[in-house]
Amino acid sequence: MKVVFEEFYEKYHQDLFQFVFYMVKDKQLTEDLVQEIYIKVLKSYKTFKGESSEKTWLFSIARHVTIDYFRSQSRKRKRIMEFFDWGEKGQLIQDLKPLPDELAVQNEEIQTVYRYLDKCTVDQKSVLILRYIQSFSIQETAEILNFSESKVKTTQHRGLKVLKKHLAEDQMKGGDVDET
Amino acid sequence: MKHNDDQELIEKLKNMPKIQDTQDKDSLYQHISSGLNPKQKQPKRNNKLVPVLGTLMAAILLLIMLPSFLNTNMFETQNENSTADRAFDDANLNNKAEESLSGQEESSDMQDAESEIMMMSEPLDSYVIDGSVNNEVIAHGAIADSQQQFVIPLTFVVPESEDIDTFYSEMEHYLHVQEWGVSDYLFKNVSFKLEKENNQVVVDLPADFSVGEGSATASIFEKSLTTMFKQEGIDKAVFNTENDQGLDLGPFGLIDELPLSKEQNASYKIYHEEDAVRSFLIPIPNEGEMMIDDALMAMKTDDKDFNVSQTIPDNINMTTDSTEQELTVTFSDESSLMNNQDTLTMIEAILMTAKSYGYDSVSFQNSNLEKIGSYLLTESIPVPVGANPINSIE
């Protein structure tokens, strides 16, 4: 079992960690989710048939674990919002997470893009992260997300559009976002 | 412009900083491998505990809250009553109050009457088997008081089906020495055979039979045999012992037979051990040439040390006159007899005392009562066949 783990770790660990981090934007949470991903990988490694590459198999598991997490979060948030009736204000909460050290040293533009990633849907965000931050090919991304390649392209396009729209609005307001 | 924006945005995304995991690989693997197995079990264990803990908590809560619930209920019913009362108008209320008041009086009257009836109908305890049962077979028993000072005579009506010898031999089954507050029966496992033609009783003693040390028990032994058999015309007891070595009767020495002397004249009083379920009429032997007048006088005195109490109340005074067979007791004018247990006990104690002095009957004069218990005080009363009847039917 440890051999399998070490193999995956050596080859993909930092990529995996980075992907999950950009999805959830929380290092502690990323550590927990990565552990969960490894556990799932090691449990189901026997049933891995090699129909896809190890890499896309690993990242598809990572994506499922992350989406499961988002679902549980949205259920929780829904309950809380129903309870307190926060309505629209609830949307602000997710932006208040502190920036990790790596991003805090970056310029404002990068930080702004980082923040507006959350305005995308999970699928759009996944595509943008895999394609540009992780530099995966369209084919790899399609395999991971179980999308067709054309769906990857359109999702990628729509994701960029959402980001641009918010960045443009942000410039109109004169960079309020930085103060949040 | 759009295209440039896209390129610019993509560049920015591509310039997003690399995020490195600072975790140690080995500790990560430890977390994972520990998560591989026990993580499944731990939640299950907790799940099992949940219903148990829940039930416990519910039970504890219920226990804590139950008293307050009960209190609340009480208050509620009280309140309901008061509102219900308010629904009556005043007149109704008054009527009701009067009704309930008179109702209470009635019921208390009823209770008084009932208790009177109870007192009337409650049979008084008799301490003797009266002389009217002459045709039945009577057996006499004897036990000693708890301090082995006196012999307590007992009287049995022997069931027709029973052989008299067997009845005497098995008498201990009818005795409840613990409840009665008396000494152990002396003749446990002893067989008696009455030989009336020889005026003797043959006593078979078990191998381990012992009267015990001291003259008191020896004296009680002799008096018990006298109480049991003298009235039957028996003059001596003959002992059958193992190897015919005789009975070691303390101051009497080793004996084969024991003559039964005449029963002493006695004043009958009440013996009642503390905590005992019943009391007994017992003969207190009178020494010397004490006359019947003095014997009756002696019945007014207690002997608390031996749980013996008087049978003639202090306020009852009497004089005696006698023929050979009949004793005449005349109550003084100021003596007032109540129809109660004390009076009945007194009458029976006088009858027994008269019997021990050899009289056949007693006539009571100047009594304000005509009847007490089953005795007609207007007529001459034959002396009883024995004291302290014991139920031998059960």
Side-chain angles (χ1 to χ4, degrees), chain B residues 98-157:
Chain B
E98 279 167 18
E99 273 172 2
S100 68
L101 246 176
S102 57
Q104 274 174 3
E105 279 168 9
E106 276 170 22
S107 69
S108 67
D109 283 352
M110 288 284 284
Q111 277 174 358
D112 285 351
E114 273 170 18
S115 62
E116 268 176 33
I117 290 166
M118 285 283 282
M119 279 181 67
M120 292 291 284
S121 62
E122 195 173 4
L124 301 176
D125 290 330
S126 174
Y127 284 99
V128 299
I129 292 178
D130 67 44
S132 63
V133 294
N134 272 335
N135 293 333
E136 300 195 47
V137 181
I138 298 293
H140 299 276
I143 43 174
D145 73 293
S146 60
Q147 297 175 61
Q148 306 224 331
Q149 295 298 308
F150 314 106
V151 170
I152 303 172
L154 307 172
T155 309
F156 301 86
V157 175

Side-chain angles (χ1 to χ4, degrees), chain B residues 52-68:
Chain B
V52 176
L53 288 175
T55 313
L56 266 175
M57 286 301 289
I60 291 165
L61 271 175
L62 205 69
L63 278 175
I64 293 167
M65 291 172 74
L66 207 64
S68 61

